[in-house]
Structures are given as structure tokens and as C-alpha cells.
Amino acid sequence: MLQRVPGVYRSGEGLPYPEYGADCRLAIANFNRPMFVNDLAGWFATVPEVQARLEADGTRVLDVGCGIGWSSISLARAFPSLRVDGIDADEASIAEAQRLAAEAGVADRVRFRVADAAELGAAGEGGYDAAFVFEALHDMARPVAALAAVRALLAGDGVVIVADEKVAETFTAPGDEVERLNFGFSWWHCLPASRVETPSAAAGTALRSATVREWSGQAGFASLRVLPVDHVFWRFYQLAG
């Protein structure tokens, strides 16, 4: 894939995510897996109202851009009464997620299906108490449409939690190590993959707070706040209203 990257920047085309292959798909999943498996419950312990929502009986949540499912599985393990619907546009990822959920013993509470987040309005069941977008918003060609579609599926008091890259608030050079790491990811993978669709926001990996706030408002959310979750790589946002 590396040899194809310069050409797509010259042509303006993109590189489809499935063409990056299993090595890339599993590398992304394995990079994030330790954080989901070991840290997820602690993230929401810092936000009591979110934790209480996830602990309540009958709570249903949507995991958008779930990849091979470690976020969905970890949510179900951390909150034993939770029911989780995971969606992702990549068929190979969903097949792997279904296998992993069965191995983890949570397939009775965790369901997966192939779906484009921006097209959820026609296919979703609705009534979700919360929705999560873990490190996936910056990859979406139509992030505002995706957020609006998710918002339409929430229960009346439902919230959306977005976790995306903890880059600087504004572009600076030279950036710190996290900033430079994310630009490395961006030019090689995230930006070319998101440019496959036309039109595309083509945000790239370095998604800044101001952009998330702008997209949130355009999608119809009344409020956005940055949550007090201490994380090296991600910044957590709560969208509501």
C-alpha cells in the first residue's frame, strides 16, 4: 500500500479501507485493544452521570465504527446489564467482531452488523440511551451526517460520547510526539481511506476540538463538553441535546 500512497495524493483519489488488508485492520485493533480491555471502565468512573446510565438495567447503547469489536465487548464486560449494538462499514471487521464476542461469552448482549453510520436513519432501531464513537469520527467521509443519524436514534435524554485524537488545540510546528504520530497515521491511512467517498470531509487523523464542536452543532446537538478523562492519546467529548 505504501507504494500507492503518493499516487492518490497526486490524483485526489482515495484508498479503500478493505484494500489495506488484514494486517492493517488487526494492527489498528491490537493497538487499541489494551485500552478497551484494561481502561474502559475507569474512563467512565470519572463521569458519574455516564457511569450511572451505563449501570442501569435495560440500558441500550450503540457503538459506531466498532472495528473488530473490542470496544463493544469491553463495554459489555464492564457493565453486565448493558446491551450493545456495534456497527461498522467493513464486512471483514464485523465478521471478526462476531467471532470475538462469541469467544468472550457476551454474544447474547452484543450484536454486530455492517452499516454506514451516515445511513443509519433508514436502518437503525432507535431508542438508544447512549452512543459511542471511539477513534472513528475522523475517519468518516460524512461526519456531520453520521452524527445527525446517531442523534436521531437516541432516546430523549440520550448522549453521544466521542473519543478522538488528543492533538493540540491548534496547529503548531513542530508538534509534540502525539501530534506527529497522528500526522504519520493520517497521511498513510486515515486521510486516503476517507477520501474514497465523494464528497468527503477529508479531515485526517489530527481532529481538533474546534472541528468536533463545529460538526456537533451542525448535526443538531445543543451542547458539547470535554470530559475529564485522563488519556494519553484521546480526548473525550459528550454531545447532548
Side-chain angles (χ1 to χ4, degrees):
M1 295 302 290
L2 186 62
Q3 303 306 315
R4 296 172 60 186
V5 170
V8 301
Y9 282 106
R10 295 188 183 103
S11 68
E13 298 173 351
L15 285 175
Y17 178 78
E19 293 183 23
Y20 280 86
D23 285 345
C24 179
R25 181 173 67 251
L26 296 176
I28 293 171
N30 290 337
F31 184 85
N32 292 333
R33 177 183 177 272
M35 296 185 282
F36 290 132
V37 171
N38 298 311
D39 301 338
L40 182 144
W43 298 338
F44 303 116
T46 66
V47 192
E49 64 272 27
V50 174
Q51 184 175 27
R53 183 184 296 263
L54 298 176
E55 290 175 341
D57 289 339
T59 296
R60 295 175 60 240
V61 303
L62 181 66
D63 186 10
V64 181
C66 64
I68 70 169
W70 285 117
S71 50
S72 301
I73 292 166
S74 298
L75 280 166
R77 282 176 162 171
F79 304 98
S81 62
L82 203 63
R83 303 191 72 85
V84 186
D85 288 346
I87 65 162
D88 199 281
D90 180 56
E91 293 185 6
S93 294
I94 290 297
E96 182 73 1
Q98 290 168 335
R99 183 185 69 80
L100 290 171
E103 287 184 358
V106 296
D108 60 325
R109 294 187 293 116
V110 181
R111 303 182 303 174
F112 295 103
R113 62 186 173 91
V114 178
D116 183 331
E119 304 294 338
L120 280 175
E125 298 175 0
Y128 290 105
D129 301 289
F132 297 88
V133 189
F134 292 110
E135 205 195 18
L137 189 63
H138 70 261
D139 288 310
M140 296 179 184
R142 294 177 288 164
V144 173
L147 288 174
V150 171
R151 180 174 178 268
L153 296 180
L154 296 174
D157 62 345
V159 298
V160 175
I161 306 297
V162 173
D164 219 294
E165 311 305 348
K166 195 176 183 178
V167 290
E169 294 291 351
T170 59
F171 177 80
T172 57
D176 63 19
E177 290 184 345
V178 172
E179 182 100 352
R180 286 180 284 168
L181 175 68
N182 280 296
F183 272 105
F185 290 150
S186 192
W187 75 265
W188 174 72
H189 175 265
C190 299
L191 185 54
S194 72
R195 290 171 65 183
V196 170
E197 290 188 45
T198 303
S200 172
T205 316
L207 185 60
R208 307 190 193 281
S209 298
T211 303
V212 178
R213 189 173 298 278
E214 178 183 354
W215 289 349
S216 171
Q218 291 173 353
F221 288 96
S223 66
L224 177 148
R225 67 172 177 138
V226 177
L227 297 178
V229 178
D230 185 18
H231 197 285
V232 173
F233 293 117
W234 296 345
R235 185 178 287 116
F236 288 72
Y237 308 85
Q238 178 178 307
L239 286 56

